[in-house]
Structure formats: structure tokens, C-alpha cells
Amino acid sequence: MANSANELPGGNMNVVTRIGDTVQRIAGPWTPTVHRYLRYLERNGIDWAPRPIRAEENSEILTFIEGEVPLYPLPNWIWDDAVLIDGARKLRQLHDASIGFGLDGSIWQSPTKVPSEVICHNDFAPHNLAFAPDGSIVGAIDFDMCSPGPRLWDLAYFATRVCPLTQDPPEGAPGPDDAKRRIELILTSYGSDATWRDVLRVAATRLWDLAEMSIEKADELFKPQLRAEAVAYERDAEYLASFLRSA
């Protein structure tokens, strides 16, 4: 096991450093809750999430999830139907395993949403998933933004990133003409009775919420580039609302 520290790419809100088979992240008031939740997931059969090792005053240590975490621009294999199916099934496992988690004394970094059906990951997307060489998902990372919320909150964001539901899809990604089919494939794989229109509606709301959070974090973390991201989120939210009205 290597002992040298190596800052991992892709961190936007937090600096993540790999040290051997562990990762070190900046901790916050929510860290004890997240660690308690991760231990709860492990007891409920989720063996593909990080395991908490310890939390110190300003940092936390977790196990490293081995696998390829794709960076932007996303590789073309991310758009395969198999990723939609595998991701939706993993998300269902994650949500189901969170049922019964005790909320007394919990502190969350992300606001709680209603209905609070499960503990949402709140950033379940390719950039927070680890993939095996065959394209299967072997793990999820970055649970520090998790909080109670509706299942559809996570499903809509996952669809936003993997369908994708954006005004200007990345090069090589499917276009809006395939959005309905891809959303319905996610819903079927998850086992949800929501409709594709429900997903579009919540996806737009989710993007507005993300834009507001990015503006707050831009000031809190002294990262003005987050304001540009907020503008992009707002643009995509307006696009989805327009797409829904015309569908």
C-alpha cells in the first residue's frame, strides 16, 4: 500500500486526498451524521460505499473506492443504456438501505426535502460513481451532501446527468429526442411508479436548487467560478421547464 498523499482530481466543493487505501477530506459539522449513516448502510448490505475510519477536528478519513471515476468531458461509454440500468438499480439499493436510519441529533450539509422518504445522496451522478473496466458500477463516493428527501429528488438528478437533460448535450451524448425513453428506462430499472414528466419537473426544480446553492458556496468557499456554474444550472432549468410545457 502506497503511503504518499495524492490529491484526487474532480473535487469541486471539497479537497480529497488519497493516502494509500484511504481518502482524507475536509470535515464539517455534518461529518458525524454522515459517518453514522455510512455505517448504517454497511450494516444493511451496501458494500460499495466508503467506510468511515475516523473523524478529526477538521478532517475525515474514509476507505478508498477502487475504480474509474469519469471526469468531464465524460467518456462516450457513459451514455450506454447499461449505465442507466445499473445506476438506477444501485440507487434503489442505496435508498432502500437507508430506511429506518435514526434522525435524532442529525446535522446535514444539504437541506432536508419533503417528503423525506429516504436519505438522498444528492449528487448521484457519473462523476461520483466508480466503474469497473467492463463499465459496471462498483461504488459510489462523496456522501457528504446527503440528507433526507424524496426518492425522486435523486432519480431526477441522476437522469439529468446520464440522459442527459441539458440544453446543450455534450458531444457524443444522446439528444432530447431520446430523453423520454431513457428516463423511462431509469424509472423501470429503479422500480418507480413516477412518470417521465415527473422526472422532468423535479429535475428543473433540482437545478434551480443547485444554482442557489452554488451562489451561496461561491461566497462561502471563495470560489467565484461557482457563480458561472449557477448560471448554467439556471439555463438548463429553464430549458427543462420549456421542454416539459411543449412535450
Side-chain angles (χ1 to χ4, degrees):
M1 179 178 72
N3 292 318
S4 59
N6 178 30
E7 184 174 324
L8 298 177
N12 195 20
M13 299 290 188
N14 201 339
V15 175
V16 183
T17 303
R18 179 179 179 181
I19 305 174
D21 290 335
T22 68
V23 292
Q24 179 174 316
R25 301 165 52 93
I26 298 172
W30 53 85
T31 300
T33 297
V34 174
H35 281 205
R36 184 164 58 88
Y37 170 57
L38 289 171
R39 287 191 289 269
Y40 187 85
L41 290 179
E42 184 181 14
R43 289 197 298 269
N44 281 278
I46 301 298
D47 59 2
W48 42 269
R51 288 184 291 105
I53 296 176
R54 65 178 180 273
E56 299 169 347
E57 184 177 357
N58 296 312
S59 67
E60 61 172 335
I61 305 293
L62 307 103
T63 57
F64 176 75
I65 300 295
E66 191 70 52
E68 179 184 354
V69 178
L71 302 176
Y72 291 94
L74 295 172
N76 283 341
W77 55 263
I78 282 293
W79 314 118
D80 292 348
D81 280 3
V83 174
L84 304 179
I85 296 169
D86 196 10
R89 289 174 177 172
K90 283 286 195 299
L91 189 56
R92 179 61 186 258
Q93 292 174 20
L94 194 66
H95 286 167
D96 286 354
S98 77
I99 293 173
F101 179 73
L103 299 179
D104 288 350
S106 297
I107 297 175
W108 307 98
Q109 182 173 194
S110 296
T112 296
K113 303 295 181 180
V114 294
S116 297
E117 299 171 321
V118 294
I119 305 300
C120 290
H121 182 283
N122 284 325
D123 200 4
F124 196 87
H127 57 263
N128 280 329
L129 298 174
F131 292 83
D134 65 359
S136 61
I137 299 171
V138 296
I141 60 173
D142 285 3
F143 282 77
D144 59 312
M145 298 298 292
C146 66
S147 65
R151 294 173 183 266
L152 195 53
W153 192 251
D154 264 353
L155 272 168
Y157 187 69
F158 178 63
T160 299
R161 293 301 172 213
V162 296
C163 284
L165 304 177
T166 54
Q167 185 172 9
D168 299 309
E171 184 176 353
D177 56 324
D178 200 24
K180 181 177 182 290
R181 182 192 70 84
R182 290 173 69 81
I183 292 173
E184 290 180 338
L185 181 57
I186 290 173
L187 292 172
T188 299
S189 302
Y190 181 92
S192 172
D193 60 1
T195 69
W196 69 277
R197 295 181 68 90
D198 292 331
V199 170
L200 283 180
R201 174 179 53 79
V202 176
T205 301
R206 177 75 176 86
L207 287 168
W208 282 116
D209 187 87
L210 194 54
E212 292 173 358
M213 186 193 73
S214 296
I215 292 172
E216 293 173 359
K217 291 293 184 181
D219 296 332
E220 177 185 331
L221 302 176
F222 303 103
K223 291 186 175 183
Q225 67 271 23
L226 293 177
R227 290 187 174 275
E229 293 185 12
V231 171
Y233 294 142
E234 291 173 350
R235 180 196 62 211
D236 285 338
E238 291 171 352
Y239 164 73
L240 289 183
S242 175
F243 185 85
L244 183 58
R245 288 192 296 269
S246 62

